[in-house]
Structures are given as structure tokens and as C-alpha cells.
Amino acid sequence: MTAYIIRRLLLLPLILFGVTLIIFSFTEILGPEKMLSAYVNPNMFDKLSNEDLDKLIEQYGLNDPMWTRYFKWIGGVLKGDLGWSVTAKQPVADAIKERIPYTIELAMYAFIPVVIVGIWLGVVAAVNRDKFIDHFIRIFAIIGWSLPDFVFGLIVLMFFYSVLGWFPPGTLSGWAEEIVKSGEFHRFTKILTIDALINGRLDIFWDALRHLIGPILTISWLWWAYLLRITRSSMLEVLGKEYVRTARAKGVPEKEVIHKHAKKNAMIPVVTVAGAMVIGLLAGTVIVEVIFNRIGMGRFTAQAATQLDYAAILGSTLFYSTLLVIGNLVIDILYAILDPRIRLG
């Protein structure tokens, strides 16, 4: 186990090197002036003459070979310099730092109902195999997995906001946003709901939570469908094992057979999927944040793409890629710890 973990950790820098190289190679289709935005605020371009621009291009070596420019860019990344974002009108690194807490908050609140409801539905479907409740849950899963999240998000927004007026889009109401931006509200964690509780502002906590319910419901539908299918398949496999049949033959109560013997062992692949789901929740909020007009990394990335914000796209892609690589490493290690039968070659 220790040797496996060390090998994976040693490979991590090489994988990240390959990821950054692939990301940077896409810049080859851009001209030097577009690449200059990674180093200089593009709003200054109009004030510069063609000679000044040529000097800056020469200064930053944007006419140099790709390898030379790549190592210069990596040097800036290692120092925390990801360039200037036209979209956010601030350095890319600062823009990412400001928006990460909002995406983490959304993923955090979505993860809890997804896991609880998804596992519960999967277990119920497996225990009641081929009965009405099993068929109903499977239809629910098929619809959830087939329906695009942007379509379901628009349905949620239309019904719960336009018709009922319950869960508005955005991050906060106007009055709450004014209080949060004032000096009397302290941002300890940068996560609105947690900071609201620390500040003793239950009204802001409820307002922030009310704005989260629509996006959470949209995200949860898709992941409920996925998780319950995995749980159901795993439970059916375990329920057919010999030790489960033996427990039943000995007269062990059915609830004990399911929850003590079957469910525990069926959770190993589910835990792995849940780990991957965390990465998916953090990296897959682009459409949801755009539909519900929420501040976050997803919306920032979408805006950067539509405005051809080269530096922001590069920084966002690097962030998501690093998250995915490190997350998969953690999942592999946890899977090996949870299931000793796995051979770590």
C-alpha cells in the first residue's frame, strides 16, 4: 500500500506536466496580441501604439518557440500569476479565489441530499427487485439520467420561481447583498451560509439557502439517477452472495441481513462513485450557475469562453484539470484502503 501511494505521488508531477502542456498547446492557434492578455491588461491595448504592442510582444517573448513560452508561463503559474481576466477585470488568480467558495458551497449542499437519497433509493429498489416500487425508481433514474441538466434547470426555475415565487435565481437578494458587502458583516470562510451563522444573521442564512435550493435540486436529479443505479446494481450483486443466503437460512431477520451484511459490503463501489461525484459537483456547475445566475467558477468559465478571455480560460482549465487529477488520485487510494482485495500493481 505504501509503495503504491508513493508511486502515485511521484507520478503526479508528471501527469500535471502533461496536463499543463496540453492546455498550453491550445494557445498555438491564437495570435501574439491575444496571448499578450495573459500578461497585460487588454484594456490598455487601445492606449498603446502598434510599436508599443510589438515591444511588449517581444518583451514577453510571444514570438519565441512554444517550449520557451511554455516554461515562462509555468514560471508565472508557480508564482501565482495566471494573467489578467478581461471578464472579471482583475487578475485571474484573484478571480478564481473569490469564486471558489461559492462553487464549494453549492457542491457541499448538493452532495448531502444526493448521497442520502441516492443510496436510499438504490437500496429500496434492490430489496424490492421487479416489484412496482423497483420499476418506478428505475423509470425515475432513466428520466433523470436522460434529461439534460439545462432543460431540467429551466423547468425548476420556471415552476419554483416564475409560478410559485419560492426559490429565486442569483446568489442573494438585494438587501442581503448590501449587508454582506458592508463592513458589519465579516467574511470568515467566504461561504455565505456559514458566515451568516457565524455573524448571527439567520435572515441572510435563509436568504442564501433559498437561492441554493433551485440549483441543488437541478444538480441532485442527475446524480440521484446515477448513484441509485450504482447502488442498486451493487446491492443486487451482494444479495446473491453465499454469505447472505447463509444468513437468511440461519433465520437472521431480513432487516439485519440487508443493513448489516449486504448494505455494508455493497457500499464499496458506491463510495468510489461518491468520491468521483464530489469532483463532478465542483467541476460540473457551469450550466447550473449560468441558468440560475449564480456567482461561481462555472459561470466565470462560461463568461470567459463567450468573451474569448484567453487568460481566464487558461486559468480555469488549469484549475479544473488539477482538481480532476488530484481527486482521482485520492479516490484510487481510498478505494484500495476500503477494499483490501484489490491488488495494487
Side-chain angles (χ1 to χ4, degrees):
M1 173 65 73
T2 304
Y4 172 77
I5 294 173
I6 291 173
R7 284 199 303 272
R8 289 300 304 268
L9 290 174
L10 290 175
L11 282 173
L12 188 60
L14 293 175
I15 296 172
L16 289 174
F17 168 75
V19 168
T20 56
L21 188 59
I22 292 171
I23 293 171
F24 189 80
S25 65
F26 290 128
T27 64
E28 288 297 293
I29 63 175
L30 302 173
E33 285 191 10
K34 202 64 181 176
M35 291 189 285
L36 187 61
S37 64
Y39 305 94
V40 180
N41 184 352
N43 294 326
M44 300 294 294
F45 287 2
D46 294 335
K47 302 176 183 179
L48 299 173
S49 64
N50 290 334
E51 291 182 0
D52 292 331
L53 286 173
D54 290 338
K55 287 179 181 178
L56 287 171
I57 290 171
E58 190 67 29
Q59 177 185 338
Y60 289 104
L62 298 180
N63 285 323
D64 293 343
M66 176 185 164
W67 282 107
T68 306
R69 289 186 287 106
Y70 170 75
F71 286 113
K72 281 185 180 179
W73 176 69
I74 281 294
V77 169
L78 295 175
K79 295 175 184 177
D81 181 11
L82 298 175
W84 179 270
S85 171
V86 180
T87 305
K89 297 179 174 60
Q90 63 184 148
V92 174
D94 293 341
I96 291 175
K97 287 177 186 176
E98 285 184 9
R99 287 160 177 77
I100 284 176
Y102 293 97
T103 300
I104 289 176
E105 183 176 39
L106 176 57
M108 178 178 69
Y109 283 107
F111 180 76
I112 298 170
V114 164
V115 170
I116 293 174
V117 176
I119 291 176
W120 175 69
L121 288 175
V123 171
V124 170
V127 172
N128 297 278
R129 183 179 185 179
D130 293 333
K131 295 181 181 178
F132 172 78
I133 186 65
D134 179 33
H135 293 306
F136 179 80
I137 291 174
R138 289 166 69 185
I139 291 171
F140 171 84
I142 292 170
I143 294 173
W145 191 245
S146 305
L147 191 66
D149 51 359
F150 66 88
V151 174
F152 186 65
L154 291 172
I155 294 172
V156 169
L157 189 63
M158 179 183 68
F159 182 73
F160 287 103
Y161 176 59
S162 299
V163 178
L164 300 177
W166 290 353
F167 310 131
T171 308
L172 283 173
S173 299
W175 62 268
E177 193 170 350
E178 289 181 8
I179 295 173
V180 169
K181 290 180 178 179
S182 67
E184 64 182 69
F185 191 90
H186 302 288
R187 301 294 300 273
F188 298 101
T189 65
K190 307 298 183 183
I191 295 177
L192 283 173
T193 50
I194 295 176
D195 287 339
L197 292 175
I198 294 174
N199 283 272
R201 296 300 302 258
L202 293 179
D203 53 344
I204 295 178
F205 170 79
W206 168 242
D207 187 72
L209 194 61
R210 199 162 62 99
H211 284 78
L212 278 166
I213 293 176
I216 288 172
L217 186 59
T218 303
I219 294 173
S220 297
W221 179 275
L222 172 66
W223 286 105
W224 277 335
Y226 181 59
L227 196 60
L228 78 85
R229 290 172 68 190
I230 299 296
T231 305
R232 181 183 181 276
S233 298
S234 183
M235 275 292 293
L236 288 175
E237 182 183 353
V238 172
L239 287 172
K241 296 290 184 182
E242 188 175 344
Y243 65 86
V244 174
R245 294 198 299 268
T246 302
R248 282 172 171 164
K250 289 182 177 179
V252 177
E254 187 65 15
K255 284 187 177 180
E256 187 175 339
V257 171
I258 293 169
H259 295 288
K260 186 177 179 181
H261 297 280
K263 187 177 178 182
K264 182 179 178 182
N265 291 298
M267 287 302 103
I268 292 174
V270 175
V271 168
T272 307
V273 170
M277 188 175 64
V278 173
I279 302 172
L281 288 172
L282 287 170
T285 58
V286 176
I287 294 175
V288 172
E289 287 179 353
V290 170
I291 289 174
F292 289 92
N293 196 31
R294 284 190 58 82
I295 300 171
M297 278 299 300
R299 183 182 166 200
F300 172 62
T301 304
Q303 289 176 334
T306 55
Q307 296 184 32
L308 299 178
D309 188 349
Y310 158 71
I313 294 171
L314 212 56
S316 300
T317 308
L318 179 62
F319 167 76
Y320 285 126
S321 301
T322 304
L323 177 70
L324 186 64
V325 170
I326 295 175
N328 282 329
L329 171 63
V330 173
I331 291 168
D332 287 346
I333 293 173
L334 287 177
Y335 196 14
I337 293 172
L338 288 170
D339 192 351
R341 295 171 299 177
I342 295 175
R343 300 296 179 189
L344 304 176

